[in-house]
Amino acid sequence: MSVLIKGGRILTASDDYFGDVFVDDGRVALLGSSLDVTADKVIDASGKIVMPGAIDPHTHIEMFFGGTTTCDDFTSGTTSAAFGGTTTLIDFCMQTPGDTFAQALEKYHEKITRCPPVIDVGFHIGVTDLHTGGTLEDLAKLPDEGVTSYKVFMAYKGAVMVDDETLFKVLRTAHQTGGLVMVHAENGDAIDIIVKETVAAGNTDPVWHARSRPMETEAEATNRAIQLARVADAPLYVVHVSCQPSVEPIALAREKGWKIWGETCTQYLFIDETMMEKPNWEGAKYIYTPPPRPKEHQEHLWKAITTDVLSAVSTDHCPFNWPDQKGINGREFQVVPNGGPGIENRLHMLWTHGVRTGRITPNRFVELVSTNVAKLFGLYPRKGTIAPGSDADIVVWDPEKKLTISAATHHTNVNYNLFEGEQVTGAPEVVLVRGQVIVEDDELVAEPGAGQFVKRARFGEELLAAPAAAV
Ligand code: DUC
Ligand code: ZN
Ligand code: ZN
C-alpha cells in the first residue's frame, strides 16, 4: 500500500516547508516538491499541515487503581488517542505487588491481545515491589524485551509507593542497563499525615484533595529524586510536573547539564484548583494527582515548556466515570480513585492556546508532543519525525478546523471531559499509523489490531528506521 500526501506544509521539530510525502510499505519513502509518483491513495493536503504523529508517554489504560479499573481498554483508549492525532502511546505496565516483572508484562500483553489497539503501543514497567515478586535481576532483563523505562511512585503510601531504597536501587539498575527512570514525585509520607489530619478535622470535600497535597511535597520529592539520580548516575524523567516549586529543581539540574527531564500534562496548563469547588460533588472529576494548582502556576508551566525546562506535554490519561467510579468507595476525597481523562484533546488544546496565541512555535509544538518523547523513550528516528525511512505515523492537521470539546462527541469510554465546552481551532483531518489510514473525516477507518506493540531502544540509543522502500 502506498500513499501520496500532496502539497502540505510539512512540519517537524526542525523543519517547516511545503512539499509532498510519499509513503510506501508503512514508511516514509520520499519527500520532495511535486513528486512524480503513482500511489494507491492520494491525500490532498493543501492548506493543511503534515506532521509526525504525536506520542503520549503517560497513560493508564485498563489499570486497576483505587479499587476500580480505568474505563478505557486498549481499543477504546487508542481510538480516542487517534482521533486527537496521537499515533503511539506508552502505557504503564503496573506490577501488581507480589508479581514478577515477567508476569506483569504478560498481563499487559494479554490486555493488548484481548482489546487490540489501533495505534502503536509501548510499555514502561511500573515497579511497586522488589521484596516479594520483582527482582533487580529481572528488571535488568526488561530492556531486551523493548521495555526500556522504569516508573516508580514516591506517593500513594500503602498502595504503589516505594521507599527511597527501592527508588535508588531502580536508579542504579537503570545506570547499568540503559533504562530511563520515571518518577511520580510527591512526598507520600508527609501527604499521608496531612490527609489523615484533614479528614480528622472533617474536611472531606473534593477541594481538600488539593489542599492536603502542598506544592512543597512535590518539590521536595522532585529534588530528592534528582539528587539520587545524580548519585546513581542515571537519567531521570519527572512525570506530571504541576507547579513552579517543582519546576525549579528541574531548571537548576538542567542548567547544570544533568541528565534530568520533566513533563507536564495538558490539564496542568488549563485546569486550576477552583474547579474542585464545583457543587454537587462535581469537583471529584478533578481529583487527580498531583492536584490542580492555583491558576498562576499555569503561566510558570507555559514558561517552562517554552524555555526547555520541561521537555514534553503528556496527558496522564487515567479515566474513571463520574460519579459511579469516582464514588465507588464513598464521597470523601481521600477514597476517590485518582485520575482524569485527556488522551484525545492534548493537541487540540496546545495548538489552540499555545501555537495560535504565539506562546509556542509550531516546531516546539511538534517537539513537545512527539519528537522529544520519541528521543527520550527510544523511539527516534523511527517515530517522532517525518524523514525517509521513518514510520509513516503522520497527522494531516487542519489548522482552521473548529471543534467544541465535549464528552458527547469524544471517543474515550469515560463520561466526562475535563475541557468540556472548550472551542478549539486546529484538529486532525487524517491520521496514519505506519502508512495505514486510521482516522479520516472524523471516522475511524481501521480495525482494532492496526496498532502494534513497539519494542523501544535503550535510553540514548536510536530505534533505527528500516531503509526506505525502493520506488
Ligand atoms: N495520578 C493520577 O491522577 N492517576 C494515576 C496515577 C497518578 O499518579
Ligand atoms: Zn503519577
Ligand atoms: Zn500517571
Side-chain angles (χ1 to χ4, degrees), residues 60 63 65 92 94 126-128 151-156 160-163 182-186 240:
H60 301 276
M63 177 182 72
F65 198 66
F92 293 103
M94 294 299 296
V127 180
T128 62
K151 164 83 177 284
V152 288
F153 288 84
M154 299 168 78
Y156 296 118
V160 291
M161 174 172 151
V162 300
D163 56 15
M182 306 168 78
V183 277
H184 171 131
E186 283 184 305
H240 53 41

mmCIF file with all atom_site columns, all heavy atoms in Angstrom, residues 60 63 65 92 94 126-128 151-156 160-163 182-186 240:
data_model
loop_
_atom_site.group_PDB
_atom_site.id
_atom_site.type_symbol
_atom_site.label_atom_id
_atom_site.label_alt_id
_atom_site.label_comp_id
_atom_site.label_asym_id
_atom_site.label_entity_id
_atom_site.label_seq_id
_atom_site.pdbx_PDB_ins_code
_atom_site.Cartn_x
_atom_site.Cartn_y
_atom_site.Cartn_z
_atom_site.occupancy
_atom_site.B_iso_or_equiv
_atom_site.pdbx_formal_charge
_atom_site.auth_seq_id
_atom_site.auth_comp_id
_atom_site.auth_asym_id
_atom_site.auth_atom_id
_atom_site.pdbx_PDB_model_num
ATOM 1   N N   . HIS A 1 60  ? -2.746 5.565  31.451 1.00 0.00 ? 60  HIS A N   1
ATOM 2   C CA  . HIS A 1 60  ? -3.101 4.452  32.351 1.00 0.00 ? 60  HIS A CA  1
ATOM 3   C C   . HIS A 1 60  ? -4.347 3.777  31.781 1.00 0.00 ? 60  HIS A C   1
ATOM 4   O O   . HIS A 1 60  ? -5.471 4.096  32.139 1.00 0.00 ? 60  HIS A O   1
ATOM 5   C CB  . HIS A 1 60  ? -3.395 4.970  33.757 1.00 0.00 ? 60  HIS A CB  1
ATOM 6   C CG  . HIS A 1 60  ? -2.260 5.708  34.396 1.00 0.00 ? 60  HIS A CG  1
ATOM 7   N ND1 . HIS A 1 60  ? -1.234 5.076  35.063 1.00 0.00 ? 60  HIS A ND1 1
ATOM 8   C CD2 . HIS A 1 60  ? -1.974 7.039  34.465 1.00 0.00 ? 60  HIS A CD2 1
ATOM 9   C CE1 . HIS A 1 60  ? -0.384 5.978  35.527 1.00 0.00 ? 60  HIS A CE1 1
ATOM 10  N NE2 . HIS A 1 60  ? -0.802 7.180  35.176 1.00 0.00 ? 60  HIS A NE2 1
ATOM 11  N N   . MET A 1 63  ? -6.229 0.100  33.919 1.00 0.00 ? 63  MET A N   1
ATOM 12  C CA  . MET A 1 63  ? -5.358 -0.057 35.107 1.00 0.00 ? 63  MET A CA  1
ATOM 13  C C   . MET A 1 63  ? -6.217 -0.180 36.354 1.00 0.00 ? 63  MET A C   1
ATOM 14  O O   . MET A 1 63  ? -7.106 0.648  36.584 1.00 0.00 ? 63  MET A O   1
ATOM 15  C CB  . MET A 1 63  ? -4.426 1.152  35.240 1.00 0.00 ? 63  MET A CB  1
ATOM 16  C CG  . MET A 1 63  ? -3.550 1.068  36.486 1.00 0.00 ? 63  MET A CG  1
ATOM 17  S SD  . MET A 1 63  ? -2.466 2.508  36.742 1.00 0.00 ? 63  MET A SD  1
ATOM 18  C CE  . MET A 1 63  ? -3.637 3.758  37.225 1.00 0.00 ? 63  MET A CE  1
ATOM 19  N N   . PHE A 1 65  ? -6.810 0.543  39.965 1.00 0.00 ? 65  PHE A N   1
ATOM 20  C CA  . PHE A 1 65  ? -6.286 1.619  40.805 1.00 0.00 ? 65  PHE A CA  1
ATOM 21  C C   . PHE A 1 65  ? -7.416 2.171  41.663 1.00 0.00 ? 65  PHE A C   1
ATOM 22  O O   . PHE A 1 65  ? -8.525 2.375  41.171 1.00 0.00 ? 65  PHE A O   1
ATOM 23  C CB  . PHE A 1 65  ? -5.729 2.736  39.904 1.00 0.00 ? 65  PHE A CB  1
ATOM 24  C CG  . PHE A 1 65  ? -4.791 3.680  40.580 1.00 0.00 ? 65  PHE A CG  1
ATOM 25  C CD1 . PHE A 1 65  ? -3.555 3.239  41.050 1.00 0.00 ? 65  PHE A CD1 1
ATOM 26  C CD2 . PHE A 1 65  ? -5.110 5.022  40.735 1.00 0.00 ? 65  PHE A CD2 1
ATOM 27  C CE1 . PHE A 1 65  ? -2.669 4.123  41.656 1.00 0.00 ? 65  PHE A CE1 1
ATOM 28  C CE2 . PHE A 1 65  ? -4.234 5.911  41.336 1.00 0.00 ? 65  PHE A CE2 1
ATOM 29  C CZ  . PHE A 1 65  ? -3.010 5.458  41.797 1.00 0.00 ? 65  PHE A CZ  1
ATOM 30  N N   . PHE A 1 92  ? 1.699  2.510  31.268 1.00 0.00 ? 92  PHE A N   1
ATOM 31  C CA  . PHE A 1 92  ? 2.384  1.937  32.431 1.00 0.00 ? 92  PHE A CA  1
ATOM 32  C C   . PHE A 1 92  ? 1.913  0.521  32.674 1.00 0.00 ? 92  PHE A C   1
ATOM 33  O O   . PHE A 1 92  ? 0.765  0.294  33.052 1.00 0.00 ? 92  PHE A O   1
ATOM 34  C CB  . PHE A 1 92  ? 2.154  2.807  33.665 1.00 0.00 ? 92  PHE A CB  1
ATOM 35  C CG  . PHE A 1 92  ? 2.810  4.143  33.531 1.00 0.00 ? 92  PHE A CG  1
ATOM 36  C CD1 . PHE A 1 92  ? 2.065  5.277  33.236 1.00 0.00 ? 92  PHE A CD1 1
ATOM 37  C CD2 . PHE A 1 92  ? 4.186  4.262  33.626 1.00 0.00 ? 92  PHE A CD2 1
ATOM 38  C CE1 . PHE A 1 92  ? 2.680  6.493  33.064 1.00 0.00 ? 92  PHE A CE1 1
ATOM 39  C CE2 . PHE A 1 92  ? 4.819  5.481  33.449 1.00 0.00 ? 92  PHE A CE2 1
ATOM 40  C CZ  . PHE A 1 92  ? 4.062  6.607  33.177 1.00 0.00 ? 92  PHE A CZ  1
ATOM 41  N N   . MET A 1 94  ? 1.779  -1.978 35.055 1.00 0.00 ? 94  MET A N   1
ATOM 42  C CA  . MET A 1 94  ? 1.948  -1.934 36.512 1.00 0.00 ? 94  MET A CA  1
ATOM 43  C C   . MET A 1 94  ? 2.164  -3.332 37.081 1.00 0.00 ? 94  MET A C   1
ATOM 44  O O   . MET A 1 94  ? 1.387  -4.251 36.809 1.00 0.00 ? 94  MET A O   1
ATOM 45  C CB  . MET A 1 94  ? 0.710  -1.306 37.156 1.00 0.00 ? 94  MET A CB  1
ATOM 46  C CG  . MET A 1 94  ? 0.498  0.161  36.804 1.00 0.00 ? 94  MET A CG  1
ATOM 47  S SD  . MET A 1 94  ? 1.864  1.229  37.342 1.00 0.00 ? 94  MET A SD  1
ATOM 48  C CE  . MET A 1 94  ? 1.749  1.053  39.107 1.00 0.00 ? 94  MET A CE  1
ATOM 49  N N   . GLY A 1 126 ? 5.970  -0.414 35.703 1.00 0.00 ? 126 GLY A N   1
ATOM 50  C CA  . GLY A 1 126 ? 5.689  0.283  36.959 1.00 0.00 ? 126 GLY A CA  1
ATOM 51  C C   . GLY A 1 126 ? 6.164  -0.593 38.111 1.00 0.00 ? 126 GLY A C   1
ATOM 52  O O   . GLY A 1 126 ? 5.555  -1.611 38.416 1.00 0.00 ? 126 GLY A O   1
ATOM 53  N N   . VAL A 1 127 ? 7.287  -0.206 38.728 1.00 0.00 ? 127 VAL A N   1
ATOM 54  C CA  . VAL A 1 127 ? 7.890  -1.027 39.792 1.00 0.00 ? 127 VAL A CA  1
ATOM 55  C C   . VAL A 1 127 ? 7.227  -0.692 41.129 1.00 0.00 ? 127 VAL A C   1
ATOM 56  O O   . VAL A 1 127 ? 7.286  0.448  41.594 1.00 0.00 ? 127 VAL A O   1
ATOM 57  C CB  . VAL A 1 127 ? 9.409  -0.747 39.895 1.00 0.00 ? 127 VAL A CB  1
ATOM 58  C CG1 . VAL A 1 127 ? 10.044 -1.590 41.010 1.00 0.00 ? 127 VAL A CG1 1
ATOM 59  C CG2 . VAL A 1 127 ? 10.101 -0.995 38.567 1.00 0.00 ? 127 VAL A CG2 1
ATOM 60  N N   . THR A 1 128 ? 6.583  -1.694 41.732 1.00 0.00 ? 128 THR A N   1
ATOM 61  C CA  . THR A 1 128 ? 5.920  -1.436 43.022 1.00 0.00 ? 128 THR A CA  1
ATOM 62  C C   . THR A 1 128 ? 6.497  -2.293 44.144 1.00 0.00 ? 128 THR A C   1
ATOM 63  O O   . THR A 1 128 ? 6.257  -2.018 45.306 1.00 0.00 ? 128 THR A O   1
ATOM 64  C CB  . THR A 1 128 ? 4.407  -1.734 42.921 1.00 0.00 ? 128 THR A CB  1
ATOM 65  O OG1 . THR A 1 128 ? 4.231  -3.125 42.615 1.00 0.00 ? 128 THR A OG1 1
ATOM 66  C CG2 . THR A 1 128 ? 3.736  -0.885 41.859 1.00 0.00 ? 128 THR A CG2 1
ATOM 67  N N   . LYS A 1 151 ? 9.229  2.960  35.978 1.00 0.00 ? 151 LYS A N   1
ATOM 68  C CA  . LYS A 1 151 ? 8.476  4.018  36.669 1.00 0.00 ? 151 LYS A CA  1
ATOM 69  C C   . LYS A 1 151 ? 8.356  3.686  38.144 1.00 0.00 ? 151 LYS A C   1
ATOM 70  O O   . LYS A 1 151 ? 8.021  2.549  38.499 1.00 0.00 ? 151 LYS A O   1
ATOM 71  C CB  . LYS A 1 151 ? 7.066  4.096  36.050 1.00 0.00 ? 151 LYS A CB  1
ATOM 72  C CG  . LYS A 1 151 ? 6.008  4.851  36.872 1.00 0.00 ? 151 LYS A CG  1
ATOM 73  C CD  . LYS A 1 151 ? 6.077  6.344  36.653 1.00 0.00 ? 151 LYS A CD  1
ATOM 74  C CE  . LYS A 1 151 ? 4.993  7.096  37.413 1.00 0.00 ? 151 LYS A CE  1
ATOM 75  N NZ  . LYS A 1 151 ? 3.681  7.009  36.813 1.00 0.00 ? 151 LYS A NZ  1
ATOM 76  N N   . VAL A 1 152 ? 8.608  4.674  38.992 1.00 0.00 ? 152 VAL A N   1
ATOM 77  C CA  . VAL A 1 152 ? 8.373  4.473  40.423 1.00 0.00 ? 152 VAL A CA  1
ATOM 78  C C   . VAL A 1 152 ? 7.527  5.609  40.979 1.00 0.00 ? 152 VAL A C   1
ATOM 79  O O   . VAL A 1 152 ? 7.630  6.756  40.540 1.00 0.00 ? 152 VAL A O   1
ATOM 80  C CB  . VAL A 1 152 ? 9.692  4.352  41.232 1.00 0.00 ? 152 VAL A CB  1
ATOM 81  C CG1 . VAL A 1 152 ? 10.384 3.040  40.964 1.00 0.00 ? 152 VAL A CG1 1
ATOM 82  C CG2 . VAL A 1 152 ? 10.611 5.509  40.984 1.00 0.00 ? 152 VAL A CG2 1
ATOM 83  N N   . PHE A 1 153 ? 6.707  5.252  41.940 1.00 0.00 ? 153 PHE A N   1
ATOM 84  C CA  . PHE A 1 153 ? 5.832  6.217  42.609 1.00 0.00 ? 153 PHE A CA  1
ATOM 85  C C   . PHE A 1 153 ? 6.429  6.547  43.968 1.00 0.00 ? 153 PHE A C   1
ATOM 86  O O   . PHE A 1 153 ? 6.661  5.648  44.780 1.00 0.00 ? 153 PHE A O   1
ATOM 87  C CB  . PHE A 1 153 ? 4.439  5.613  42.821 1.00 0.00 ? 153 PHE A CB  1
ATOM 88  C CG  . PHE A 1 153 ? 3.632  5.469  41.564 1.00 0.00 ? 153 PHE A CG  1
ATOM 89  C CD1 . PHE A 1 153 ? 3.795  4.359  40.736 1.00 0.00 ? 153 PHE A CD1 1
ATOM 90  C CD2 . PHE A 1 153 ? 2.697  6.431  41.198 1.00 0.00 ? 153 PHE A CD2 1
ATOM 91  C CE1 . PHE A 1 153 ? 3.052  4.221  39.574 1.00 0.00 ? 153 PHE A CE1 1
ATOM 92  C CE2 . PHE A 1 153 ? 1.957  6.305  40.030 1.00 0.00 ? 153 PHE A CE2 1
ATOM 93  C CZ  . PHE A 1 153 ? 2.123  5.190  39.220 1.00 0.00 ? 153 PHE A CZ  1
ATOM 94  N N   . MET A 1 154 ? 6.635  7.833  44.231 1.00 0.00 ? 154 MET A N   1
ATOM 95  C CA  . MET A 1 154 ? 7.103  8.267  45.551 1.00 0.00 ? 154 MET A CA  1
ATOM 96  C C   . MET A 1 154 ? 5.916  8.650  46.425 1.00 0.00 ? 154 MET A C   1
ATOM 97  O O   . MET A 1 154 ? 6.094  9.173  47.528 1.00 0.00 ? 154 MET A O   1
ATOM 98  C CB  . MET A 1 154 ? 8.077  9.434  45.390 1.00 0.00 ? 154 MET A CB  1
ATOM 99  C CG  . MET A 1 154 ? 9.322  9.063  44.579 1.00 0.00 ? 154 MET A CG  1
ATOM 100 S SD  . MET A 1 154 ? 10.303 10.496 44.095 1.00 0.00 ? 154 MET A SD  1
ATOM 101 C CE  . MET A 1 154 ? 11.175 10.866 45.614 1.00 0.00 ? 154 MET A CE  1
ATOM 102 N N   . ALA A 1 155 ? 4.709  8.428  45.925 1.00 0.00 ? 155 ALA A N   1
ATOM 103 C CA  . ALA A 1 155 ? 3.480  8.724  46.688 1.00 0.00 ? 155 ALA A CA  1
ATOM 104 C C   . ALA A 1 155 ? 2.552  7.525  46.577 1.00 0.00 ? 155 ALA A C   1
ATOM 105 O O   . ALA A 1 155 ? 2.897  6.523  45.950 1.00 0.00 ? 155 ALA A O   1
ATOM 106 C CB  . ALA A 1 155 ? 2.806  9.966  46.137 1.00 0.00 ? 155 ALA A CB  1
ATOM 107 N N   . TYR A 1 156 ? 1.348  7.684  47.176 1.00 0.00 ? 156 TYR A N   1
ATOM 108 C CA  . TYR A 1 156 ? 0.353  6.604  47.300 1.00 0.00 ? 156 TYR A CA  1
ATOM 109 C C   . TYR A 1 156 ? 0.830  5.570  48.316 1.00 0.00 ? 156 TYR A C   1
ATOM 110 O O   . TYR A 1 156 ? 0.993  4.388  48.010 1.00 0.00 ? 156 TYR A O   1
ATOM 111 C CB  . TYR A 1 156 ? 0.036  5.935  45.950 1.00 0.00 ? 156 TYR A CB  1
ATOM 112 C CG  . TYR A 1 156 ? -0.600 6.854  44.940 1.00 0.00 ? 156 TYR A CG  1
ATOM 113 C CD1 . TYR A 1 156 ? 0.039  7.143  43.739 1.00 0.00 ? 156 TYR A CD1 1
ATOM 114 C CD2 . TYR A 1 156 ? -1.847 7.432  45.189 1.00 0.00 ? 156 TYR A CD2 1
ATOM 115 C CE1 . TYR A 1 156 ? -0.539 7.992  42.804 1.00 0.00 ? 156 TYR A CE1 1
ATOM 116 C CE2 . TYR A 1 156 ? -2.427 8.292  44.258 1.00 0.00 ? 156 TYR A CE2 1
ATOM 117 C CZ  . TYR A 1 156 ? -1.764 8.564  43.079 1.00 0.00 ? 156 TYR A CZ  1
ATOM 118 O OH  . TYR A 1 156 ? -2.335 9.404  42.163 1.00 0.00 ? 156 TYR A OH  1
ATOM 119 N N   . VAL A 1 160 ? 0.971  1.892  45.845 1.00 0.00 ? 160 VAL A N   1
ATOM 120 C CA  . VAL A 1 160 ? 2.076  1.662  44.894 1.00 0.00 ? 160 VAL A CA  1
ATOM 121 C C   . VAL A 1 160 ? 3.370  2.396  45.255 1.00 0.00 ? 160 VAL A C   1
ATOM 122 O O   . VAL A 1 160 ? 4.373  2.275  44.544 1.00 0.00 ? 160 VAL A O   1
ATOM 123 C CB  . VAL A 1 160 ? 1.652  2.043  43.449 1.00 0.00 ? 160 VAL A CB  1
ATOM 124 C CG1 . VAL A 1 160 ? 0.609  1.078  42.927 1.00 0.00 ? 160 VAL A CG1 1
ATOM 125 C CG2 . VAL A 1 160 ? 1.160  3.485  43.374 1.00 0.00 ? 160 VAL A CG2 1
ATOM 126 N N   . MET A 1 161 ? 3.340  3.142  46.360 1.00 0.00 ? 161 MET A N   1
ATOM 127 C CA  . MET A 1 161 ? 4.538  3.918  46.738 1.00 0.00 ? 161 MET A CA  1
ATOM 128 C C   . MET A 1 161 ? 5.737  3.012  47.061 1.00 0.00 ? 161 MET A C   1
ATOM 129 O O   . MET A 1 161 ? 5.576  1.977  47.694 1.00 0.00 ? 161 MET A O   1
ATOM 130 C CB  . MET A 1 161 ? 4.208  4.757  47.970 1.00 0.00 ? 161 MET A CB  1
ATOM 131 C CG  . MET A 1 161 ? 5.360  5.503  48.566 1.00 0.00 ? 161 MET A CG  1
ATOM 132 S SD  . MET A 1 161 ? 4.765  6.613  49.857 1.00 0.00 ? 161 MET A SD  1
ATOM 133 C CE  . MET A 1 161 ? 6.195  6.689  50.924 1.00 0.00 ? 161 MET A CE  1
ATOM 134 N N   . VAL A 1 162 ? 6.915  3.461  46.624 1.00 0.00 ? 162 VAL A N   1
ATOM 135 C CA  . VAL A 1 162 ? 8.141  2.745  47.014 1.00 0.00 ? 162 VAL A CA  1
ATOM 136 C C   . VAL A 1 162 ? 8.967  3.646  47.933 1.00 0.00 ? 162 VAL A C   1
ATOM 137 O O   . VAL A 1 162 ? 8.810  4.869  47.930 1.00 0.00 ? 162 VAL A O   1
ATOM 138 C CB  . VAL A 1 162 ? 8.994  2.329  45.791 1.00 0.00 ? 162 VAL A CB  1
ATOM 139 C CG1 . VAL A 1 162 ? 8.210  1.418  44.867 1.00 0.00 ? 162 VAL A CG1 1
ATOM 140 C CG2 . VAL A 1 162 ? 9.537  3.543  45.036 1.00 0.00 ? 162 VAL A CG2 1
ATOM 141 N N   . ASP A 1 163 ? 9.844  3.026  48.709 1.00 0.00 ? 163 ASP A N   1
ATOM 142 C CA  . ASP A 1 163 ? 10.710 3.818  49.590 1.00 0.00 ? 163 ASP A CA  1
ATOM 143 C C   . ASP A 1 163 ? 11.967 4.236  48.819 1.00 0.00 ? 163 ASP A C   1
ATOM 144 O O   . ASP A 1 163 ? 12.193 3.814  47.673 1.00 0.00 ? 163 ASP A O   1
ATOM 145 C CB  . ASP A 1 163 ? 11.051 3.035  50.870 1.00 0.00 ? 163 ASP A CB  1
ATOM 146 C CG  . ASP A 1 163 ? 11.690 1.683  50.561 1.00 0.00 ? 163 ASP A CG  1
ATOM 147 O OD1 . ASP A 1 163 ? 12.122 1.460  49.405 1.00 0.00 ? 163 ASP A OD1 1
ATOM 148 O OD2 . ASP A 1 163 ? 11.759 0.847  51.476 1.00 0.00 ? 163 ASP A OD2 1
ATOM 149 N N   . MET A 1 182 ? 11.482 6.943  35.492 1.00 0.00 ? 182 MET A N   1
ATOM 150 C CA  . MET A 1 182 ? 10.426 7.961  35.547 1.00 0.00 ? 182 MET A CA  1
ATOM 151 C C   . MET A 1 182 ? 9.918  7.995  36.990 1.00 0.00 ? 182 MET A C   1
ATOM 152 O O   . MET A 1 182 ? 9.691  6.946  37.587 1.00 0.00 ? 182 MET A O   1
ATOM 153 C CB  . MET A 1 182 ? 9.260  7.562  34.640 1.00 0.00 ? 182 MET A CB  1
ATOM 154 C CG  . MET A 1 182 ? 9.686  7.261  33.221 1.00 0.00 ? 182 MET A CG  1
ATOM 155 S SD  . MET A 1 182 ? 8.351  6.472  32.293 1.00 0.00 ? 182 MET A SD  1
ATOM 156 C CE  . MET A 1 182 ? 7.321  7.891  31.913 1.00 0.00 ? 182 MET A CE  1
ATOM 157 N N   . VAL A 1 183 ? 9.733  9.196  37.517 1.00 0.00 ? 183 VAL A N   1
ATOM 158 C CA  . VAL A 1 183 ? 9.200  9.271  38.883 1.00 0.00 ? 183 VAL A CA  1
ATOM 159 C C   . VAL A 1 183 ? 7.926  10.086 38.954 1.00 0.00 ? 183 VAL A C   1
ATOM 160 O O   . VAL A 1 183 ? 7.820  11.154 38.351 1.00 0.00 ? 183 VAL A O   1
ATOM 161 C CB  . VAL A 1 183 ? 10.169 9.896  39.918 1.00 0.00 ? 183 VAL A CB  1
ATOM 162 C CG1 . VAL A 1 183 ? 11.151 8.881  40.425 1.00 0.00 ? 183 VAL A CG1 1
ATOM 163 C CG2 . VAL A 1 183 ? 10.817 11.155 39.437 1.00 0.00 ? 183 VAL A CG2 1
ATOM 164 N N   . HIS A 1 184 ? 6.992  9.545  39.719 1.00 0.00 ? 184 HIS A N   1
ATOM 165 C CA  . HIS A 1 184 ? 5.884  10.346 40.236 1.00 0.00 ? 184 HIS A CA  1
ATOM 166 C C   . HIS A 1 184 ? 6.427  10.919 41.536 1.00 0.00 ? 184 HIS A C   1
ATOM 167 O O   . HIS A 1 184 ? 6.597  10.200 42.517 1.00 0.00 ? 184 HIS A O   1
ATOM 168 C CB  . HIS A 1 184 ? 4.663  9.456  40.490 1.00 0.00 ? 184 HIS A CB  1
ATOM 169 C CG  . HIS A 1 184 ? 3.555  10.165 41.215 1.00 0.00 ? 184 HIS A CG  1
ATOM 170 N ND1 . HIS A 1 184 ? 2.244  10.128 40.796 1.00 0.00 ? 184 HIS A ND1 1
ATOM 171 C CD2 . HIS A 1 184 ? 3.546  10.909 42.349 1.00 0.00 ? 184 HIS A CD2 1
ATOM 172 C CE1 . HIS A 1 184 ? 1.491  10.830 41.628 1.00 0.00 ? 184 HIS A CE1 1
ATOM 173 N NE2 . HIS A 1 184 ? 2.256  11.306 42.590 1.00 0.00 ? 184 HIS A NE2 1
ATOM 174 N N   . ALA A 1 185 ? 6.727  12.211 41.514 1.00 0.00 ? 185 ALA A N   1
ATOM 175 C CA  . ALA A 1 185 ? 7.453  12.821 42.633 1.00 0.00 ? 185 ALA A CA  1
ATOM 176 C C   . ALA A 1 185 ? 6.503  13.585 43.557 1.00 0.00 ? 185 ALA A C   1
ATOM 177 O O   . ALA A 1 185 ? 6.065  14.693 43.239 1.00 0.00 ? 185 ALA A O   1
ATOM 178 C CB  . ALA A 1 185 ? 8.531  13.742 42.080 1.00 0.00 ? 185 ALA A CB  1
ATOM 179 N N   . GLU A 1 186 ? 6.183  12.981 44.661 1.00 0.00 ? 186 GLU A N   1
ATOM 180 C CA  . GLU A 1 186 ? 5.488  13.652 45.761 1.00 0.00 ? 186 GLU A CA  1
ATOM 181 C C   . GLU A 1 186 ? 5.955  12.934 47.024 1.00 0.00 ? 186 GLU A C   1
ATOM 182 O O   . GLU A 1 186 ? 6.186  11.718 46.998 1.00 0.00 ? 186 GLU A O   1
ATOM 183 C CB  . GLU A 1 186 ? 3.979  13.461 45.685 1.00 0.00 ? 186 GLU A CB  1
ATOM 184 C CG  . GLU A 1 186 ? 3.244  14.301 44.671 1.00 0.00 ? 186 GLU A CG  1
ATOM 185 C CD  . GLU A 1 186 ? 1.741  14.077 44.785 1.00 0.00 ? 186 GLU A CD  1
ATOM 186 O OE1 . GLU A 1 186 ? 1.299  12.913 44.699 1.00 0.00 ? 186 GLU A OE1 1
ATOM 187 O OE2 . GLU A 1 186 ? 1.011  15.051 44.987 1.00 0.00 ? 186 GLU A OE2 1
ATOM 188 N N   . HIS A 1 240 ? 4.427  14.440 35.181 1.00 0.00 ? 240 HIS A N   1
ATOM 189 C CA  . HIS A 1 240 ? 3.373  15.395 35.567 1.00 0.00 ? 240 HIS A CA  1
ATOM 190 C C   . HIS A 1 240 ? 3.788  16.474 36.561 1.00 0.00 ? 240 HIS A C   1
ATOM 191 O O   . HIS A 1 240 ? 3.244  16.588 37.647 1.00 0.00 ? 240 HIS A O   1
ATOM 192 C CB  . HIS A 1 240 ? 2.103  14.671 36.017 1.00 0.00 ? 240 HIS A CB  1
ATOM 193 C CG  . HIS A 1 240 ? 2.223  13.622 37.092 1.00 0.00 ? 240 HIS A CG  1
ATOM 194 N ND1 . HIS A 1 240 ? 3.011  13.764 38.193 1.00 0.00 ? 240 HIS A ND1 1
ATOM 195 C CD2 . HIS A 1 240 ? 1.582  12.431 37.241 1.00 0.00 ? 240 HIS A CD2 1
ATOM 196 C CE1 . HIS A 1 240 ? 2.878  12.710 38.971 1.00 0.00 ? 240 HIS A CE1 1
ATOM 197 N NE2 . HIS A 1 240 ? 2.023  11.877 38.409 1.00 0.00 ? 240 HIS A NE2 1
#
